[in-house]
Structures are given as C-alpha cells and as structure tokens.
Amino acid sequence: MPNLTLVKTSEEFRLAVGLEKDKLVVVRFYATWCKACKAVAPYYRRLALQNPGVKFINVPVSGDNIDLHQGLGVPSLPYGHIYHPEVGMTEEMKISRRHFGKFARTVKTYVEGQCDVDDVILSNVEEANSVKRM
C-alpha cells in the first residue's frame, strides 16, 4: 500500500514525519507482541485504504527505537499521533479497538477540513447566549 510506511528508527521517523510539508501524517505506535496492537492493525490498514491522500506510518517499538517512543511521550500501546503539515502534531490518543472509532473520526475531520461539534457543546453555547441576552 503506497500510503502506508513502516518506520523503524528515529532518523526514518524524522524523514517521514518531520520533513512532510504537504500531507497529513497519521502515526500508529505499536508492539509486535501486543494483543491490542494486533487487534487494531486491520482497522488502521482500512483507514489508510480509505484515505489515499494521507500518509500513514507504522512505528513498532524495538530496542533500536525505544528512545523515539519515549521522546515522543507515547504512554501506552497502541497509540496514535496526527501531524498536520503546517503545524506539526495536532492530536494524540489511545487507539485500541475501544478508542479507534474516535481516532478514525478525528482523522476524517482533518481530511475533510471541518470539525464535528458535539450537540451537547452546541446546546451549552446556545444556552449561554440566551442567558446573555436576558
């Protein structure tokens, strides 16, 4: 898959993510021994297939790149980052199966260029505005 790349070292990560100035970059940090990471792999691959204009990166944890995971503050696995070409990292979150839907929706908002605003947030804003008018 041309938009899904395996990155194993800090230097490869810098080249794949840090120097990308045109495309949104989505990163999955995982371990080959991690059951939750294995469970989410097909969902991540499908997300990459559905978004060919986005660069997807897989970063497995290993003895050679543990400093990369620690340096980026990856607290658990599987974990995801989203990098916007103009501003760098904009999102980071857990991406286990339980959390993957939220991650996929977040990627979609960047791809489509619009944010979904929760109905609860909208109703709170409307309530606040009506109180101000009184």
Side-chain angles (χ1 to χ4, degrees):
M1 187 177 330
N3 68 327
L4 182 58
T5 305
L6 181 66
V7 166
K8 294 182 178 181
T9 67
S10 296
E11 179 61 16
E12 288 176 350
F13 186 84
R14 186 185 70 77
L15 293 172
V17 178
L19 298 180
E20 180 57 62
K21 301 299 179 200
D22 297 319
K23 292 182 177 182
L24 187 69
V25 180
V26 178
V27 181
R28 176 178 76 110
F29 298 95
Y30 71 100
T32 55
W33 46 261
C34 168
K35 285 184 180 183
C37 300
K38 289 177 184 179
V40 80
Y43 298 101
Y44 188 74
R45 184 175 171 83
R46 184 178 320 131
L47 188 62
L49 283 169
Q50 293 169 344
N51 295 283
V54 176
K55 189 176 192 178
F56 286 82
I57 307 290
N58 272 318
V59 184
V61 67
S62 71
D64 297 330
N65 71 3
I66 193 71
D67 60 321
L68 173 63
H69 287 252
Q70 290 174 345
L72 291 170
V74 175
S76 62
L77 298 174
Y79 203 72
H81 283 179
I82 299 173
Y83 293 84
H84 190 278
E86 295 174 12
V87 295
M89 187 173 63
T90 56
E91 305 282 345
E92 59 180 326
M93 63 185 72
K94 292 179 180 184
I95 59 169
S96 62
R97 281 183 56 183
R98 186 170 124 202
H99 300 279
F100 197 82
K102 179 180 179 188
F103 184 71
R105 287 189 300 277
T106 303
V107 170
K108 183 180 176 184
T109 64
Y110 284 95
V111 170
E112 293 179 351
Q114 63 184 17
C115 295
D116 292 333
V117 179
D118 201 5
D119 289 338
V120 173
I121 293 170
L122 285 176
S123 64
N124 289 343
V125 170
E126 290 169 0
E127 285 176 27
N129 287 337
S130 67
V131 170
K132 287 179 186 177
R133 285 187 223 129
M134 293 181 156

